[in-house]
Amino acid sequence: MRSLINILDLSIEEIDALIATANDIIANPERYREACKYKKLATLFFEPSTRTRLSFEAAMLELGGSVLGFSEANSSSAAKGESVADTAKTVSCYADIIAMRHPKEGAPLIAAQNATIPVINAGDGSHNHPTQTLADLLTIRREKGRLCDLNIGFCGDLKFGRTVHSLIAAMSRYEGIQVTLISPEELKLPSYVKKDILRKKDIPYTQTTSLEHAMPSLDILYMTRVQRERFFNEEDYLRLKDSYILDPAKLRGAKSDLCIMHPLPRVNEISVAIDDDPRACYFKQVLNGKFIRMALILMLLEEAKR
Ligand code: CP
C-alpha cells in the first residue's frame, strides 16, 4: 500500500504530476467536486495543528468525500495507552486514507506499516512534514515559475524545523540550487541533514547568523518559528525566540522579486507590516496547501485501487 512518509518517497516526476493536478484543480474546481464521493479521510492528530488538519479536511470535502478523526491525543484511546500500530489497524476499518501528525519521529511510518489503507505523514516531531513541502513546492513553482536555479535562504530554527528539513531534501534534487542557512549557533541545521543531503548531493551552502548579510543574494527567504515545543528548557527558548524578526527595514537590500515564505504559524518572526508586500507569499502557501493535498489524496486513492 502506497503511503507518503518522507518527501523523497515521491519521484520528481510524481511531484511534477501532483503540481499539474493541483494547478488543474485551481483552474477547474468543478471537475473534482465528486472525485472522492463515498471516500473517507481520517485525520489523526496527536499534536496541535490549524493549517494541516483543516486543509486536509477541506481538501477531502471539496473532493466530495467525508472526514472523521480527532485533533488531540487525549480524545483518542492513545490516552489509555493504545499503540500507534493498533490505532492504524483500527482506523483502517473505518476510513479509506489517513493523515497523521504525531510528536514522535517515525510514528506515521509505524502507522503505515500496520494500516491497510494509505497513510500520509502530516508532521512527525522535528523529522519530516512532506505535505508542507508539497505546498511549498507548488508555491515556488507558481511564484518563481521554476524549481531550479534558486538561492533559498532558510532563517530561524533550522535545528528543530521539520519543514526546513523536508524542503531541503526536496530542493536538493533540482539543478542549480544554492542554500543559505541563517540561524543562531544553537539552532543550526543538524549535521545529519548537511551530511546526508547537502554534501552528498554537492549542494553549495553557506551558514551565517546575519539575515541582513544574506538578504541581497536570496531568491526565496523561508522564515521559520523557533519551535518552543521541542526545547528542553524555557530559558533557552526565551533567549532565542526573537533572534530574527523580518520587518520592512530588513527587506531594504532584498531582490524586488524575492519570494518570502513561512510555513506558519508565525509568532513574531515576520512583522505584520510585511503582509501587504507583494513579495509576501505565506498566505498563498496556506491556500496552495489545500490544493496540493487534494492532488495527493487523489493520487494515493487511485494507487490504492490497483
Ligand atoms: N504549517 C503547519 O504545519 O501548520 P499547522 O501546525 O497549523 O498545521
Side-chain angles (χ1 to χ4, degrees):
M1 181 63 57
R2 182 89 188 267
S3 286
L4 176 64
I5 304 302
N6 184 311
I7 191 67
L8 298 178
D9 295 343
L10 295 168
S11 67
I12 289 185
E13 292 74 24
E14 286 173 323
I15 288 175
D16 283 345
L18 286 171
I19 289 174
T21 304
N23 281 326
D24 193 50
I25 293 168
I26 293 167
N28 305 292
E30 69 290 346
R31 280 194 201 152
Y32 295 86
R33 289 214 173 110
E34 298 206 333
C36 287
K37 204 172 171 184
Y38 306 124
K39 296 290 180 190
K40 284 172 282 179
L41 165 76
T43 50
L44 313 184
F45 276 61
F46 296 85
E47 247 194 359
S49 166
T50 296
R51 274 148 295 274
T52 311
R53 186 172 65 84
L54 296 183
S55 66
F56 264 117
E57 296 188 357
M60 193 50 151
L61 293 172
E62 288 190 26
L63 290 168
S66 311
V67 295
L68 64 163
F70 51 82
S71 57
E72 53 176 322
N74 279 343
S75 63
S76 77
S77 285
K80 302 175 210 162
E82 186 165 49
S83 68
V84 165
D86 283 0
T87 303
K89 284 180 189 165
T90 301
V91 175
S92 297
C93 301
Y94 306 141
D96 300 286
I97 187 164
I98 291 172
M100 175 187 278
R101 171 170 290 188
H102 203 286
K104 284 200 183 135
E105 283 91 350
L109 176 61
I110 301 292
Q113 288 165 342
N114 287 278
T116 55
I117 58 178
V119 174
I120 301 170
N121 179 2
D124 60 330
S126 55
H127 199 213
N128 276 302
H129 195 344
T131 62
Q132 178 64 49
T133 305
L134 289 173
D136 298 342
L137 294 173
L138 175 60
T139 304
I140 295 170
R141 177 69 79 78
R142 287 178 70 85
E143 296 303 313
K144 305 298 291 181
R146 63 188 192 278
L147 291 171
C148 57
D149 301 319
L150 293 164
N151 183 353
I152 309 179
F154 292 93
C155 179
D157 183 350
L158 310 190
K159 180 177 180 183
F160 296 118
R162 59 191 172 200
T163 61
V164 171
H165 306 161
S166 284
L167 186 55
I168 287 177
M171 294 308 296
S172 72
R173 296 192 292 185
Y174 297 96
E175 295 290 322
I177 295 301
Q178 291 179 56
V179 169
T180 305
L181 303 168
I182 309 148
S183 74
E185 279 299 314
E186 293 99 319
L187 297 178
K188 280 164 87 171
L189 191 73
S191 307
Y192 81 88
V193 182
K194 281 184 248 175
K195 177 172 166 276
D196 296 348
I197 301 171
L198 295 176
R199 285 192 213 118
K200 197 169 173 183
K201 297 273 183 72
D202 255 340
I203 307 291
Y205 71 93
T206 53
Q207 297 188 93
T208 177
T209 54
S210 167
L211 176 55
E212 288 89 335
H213 186 255
M215 189 69 86
S217 63
L218 302 180
D219 300 303
I220 293 168
L221 172 59
Y222 196 94
M223 295 295 294
T224 61
R225 171 180 69 92
V226 175
Q227 307 268 306
R228 180 181 210 153
E229 63 276 31
R230 316 271 177 233
F231 274 73
F232 289 112
N233 74 69
E234 183 75 358
E235 234 170 66
D236 285 348
Y237 168 72
L238 292 173
R239 185 168 49 80
L240 293 166
K241 73 183 175 68
D242 290 331
S243 298
Y244 301 98
I245 300 174
L246 184 66
D247 58 20
K250 291 214 179 64
L251 276 180
R252 254 177 229 135
K255 290 186 181 174
S256 58
D257 63 347
L258 175 71
C259 176
I260 304 167
M261 300 177 71
H262 191 310
L264 304 183
R266 77 174 142 188
V267 181
N268 208 20
E269 314 77 52
I270 302 182
S271 155
V272 292
I274 303 282
D275 292 1
D276 292 330
D277 189 302
R279 293 169 288 187
C281 295
Y282 29 95
F283 287 106
K284 292 180 182 171
Q285 278 169 274
V286 174
L287 184 58
N288 288 335
K290 180 185 72 175
F291 295 122
I292 201 78
R293 288 179 177 107
M294 290 171 81
L296 179 66
I297 290 168
L298 285 171
M299 183 191 115
L300 291 177
L301 286 178
E302 194 54 42
E303 292 204 16
K305 282 187 204 159
R306 293 180 198 147

